[in-house]
Amino acid sequence: MNKILLFIPGYNCQKQITRVLSQLDESILKFIDEIIFINNRSTDNTEDAVRKFILEHQDMPIKILRNKENYNLGGSHKIAFRYAIDNDFDYIVVLHGDDQGNIKDFYDILKSSTYEKYDSILGARFKRNSKLIGYSKFRIFGNKVYNFIFSLALFQPIYDLGSGLNMYKVSSLKNCYYEKFPDNLTFNYCMIMAANYYKQNIKFMPISWREDDQVSNVKMVSQAFSVLSLLMKYFFARGRFIKLELRQKEFLKYEYDDVTCLQ
């Protein structure tokens, strides 16, 4: 029986986080051994909302971890990956705390243990049979263009560069190749390139995705140029690029506090 960790990163998602946690009904929880919500120094009442949910659902194995600094989304992933390694989990599922994705989209692969065949299963918003709600045609077109460019550069089909619903085999993370990746939103792009370089077996799964009251942290123009720059460097340098220091700010260690029981 595989030991599975569910990691929910969150930053200022007070309005959405209860909806995300409410997705975790009995049909999903039977596959999940532990849930960690990582609060990346939210400035609203996100953490209080999670704590209130825990008090109302004391049978759920949820912990609240609070980053000691704002490590951004990539840094929160690094903490979660290390937590999964240190606590002997076999797989880690990532579900963003802003209620854009739905973990039920992974129900079939959890039930059938399909994930055992892959190093990672990546939610693909732009693959056939995915469902997009509230996503503009311009953004859909732009994402598909970038997926096409990445597919050409990586010599394999890429259907999404970074959605908020993914699953990783923990054994594939143990060499910590991702530690020097950017801590910002380009972290997932680097994970895609690393999967390509290390010849990991990945599967893209169509998912449902919606935007209504979420606040996007993506600055589209600067993000676009940053992503292309990373891809070009990887295309020409490959292994040398994967091992470069890519962070704007280096951390010797990504630290957190377990604040589950704080009042």
Side-chain angles (χ1 to χ4, degrees):
M1 190 73 176
N2 289 308
K3 187 179 178 183
I4 300 177
L5 174 68
L6 173 60
F7 154 51
I8 303 176
Y11 176 75
N12 286 358
C13 53
Q14 169 188 345
K15 294 180 180 179
Q16 299 86 23
I17 188 59
T18 301
R19 301 200 303 257
V20 174
L21 294 171
S22 296
Q23 295 180 22
L24 307 177
D25 60 18
E26 185 178 343
S27 68
I28 294 296
L29 285 174
K30 65 184 178 182
F31 303 111
I32 303 298
D33 294 278
E34 187 176 337
I35 304 155
I36 55 171
F37 173 77
I38 297 187
N39 177 17
N40 189 42
R41 311 300 302 185
S42 295
T43 58
D44 64 1
N45 293 319
T46 294
E47 193 173 290
D48 291 335
V50 177
R51 192 167 288 111
K52 182 176 183 292
F53 185 90
I54 291 174
L55 289 173
E56 295 170 353
H57 302 81
Q58 296 190 29
D59 57 329
M60 279 197 190
I62 308 176
K63 286 184 180 179
I64 304 174
L65 310 183
R66 184 196 297 155
N67 292 346
K68 289 201 171 182
E69 293 188 45
N70 185 327
Y71 298 130
N72 292 304
L73 182 63
S76 292
H77 273 75
K78 294 171 188 179
I79 285 176
F81 289 169
R82 172 51 58 187
Y83 186 95
I85 293 168
D86 291 345
N87 291 279
D88 298 319
F89 285 93
D90 299 299
Y91 293 87
I92 178 170
V93 178
V94 182
L95 174 65
H96 284 194
D98 58 5
D99 194 36
Q100 291 184 285
N102 191 330
I103 197 170
K104 296 290 181 62
D105 291 331
F106 273 15
Y107 173 77
D108 287 342
I109 64 170
L110 289 168
K111 182 180 179 181
S112 64
S113 299
T114 301
Y115 57 83
E116 292 179 344
K117 302 176 184 177
Y118 303 96
D119 294 301
S120 59
I121 294 183
L122 307 179
R125 295 165 292 177
F126 310 102
K127 192 174 183 181
R128 187 175 182 180
N129 295 325
S130 63
K131 297 177 182 178
L132 293 174
I133 302 170
Y135 228 69
S136 72
K137 291 182 179 179
F138 175 75
R139 290 184 66 186
I140 293 172
F141 174 76
N143 275 279
K144 286 186 175 181
V145 168
Y146 268 75
N147 291 341
F148 178 71
I149 293 171
F150 265 72
S151 298
L152 291 177
L154 273 54
F155 307 107
Q156 69 178 103
I158 302 296
Y159 295 100
D160 201 316
L161 296 176
S163 78
L165 180 60
N166 299 304
M167 186 171 188
Y168 300 93
K169 181 182 289 185
V170 174
S171 61
S172 72
L173 303 170
K174 286 187 176 180
N175 70 354
C176 299
Y177 59 83
Y178 47 82
E179 281 291 333
K180 294 182 179 180
F181 288 175
D183 289 327
N184 59 26
L185 294 175
T186 60
F187 176 82
N188 279 327
Y189 307 130
C190 291
M191 288 293 288
I192 293 280
M193 290 183 275
N196 175 261
Y197 175 72
Y198 289 112
K199 295 181 172 53
Q200 293 181 356
N201 190 14
I202 64 176
K203 179 179 178 63
F204 287 94
M205 286 284 296
I207 60 173
S208 52
W209 197 257
R210 64 189 182 85
E211 286 196 355
D212 43 33
D213 59 354
Q214 293 85 1
V215 178
S216 175
N217 292 312
V218 178
K219 297 177 181 177
M220 294 184 64
V221 176
S222 61
Q223 182 92 340
F225 283 110
S226 177
V227 171
L228 281 180
S229 174
L230 289 171
L231 180 61
M232 291 299 292
K233 290 174 183 176
Y234 172 70
F235 183 78
F236 289 108
R238 299 284 168 171
R240 294 197 309 278
F241 169 80
I242 292 297
K243 296 169 185 176
L244 286 176
E245 176 57 71
L246 300 172
R247 295 170 293 182
Q248 292 182 336
K249 180 180 179 181
E250 296 180 35
F251 295 97
L252 292 177
K253 189 175 182 181
Y254 293 83
E255 298 181 303
Y256 64 87
D257 292 308
D258 185 337
V259 296
T260 309
C261 296
L262 291 183
Q263 297 299 317

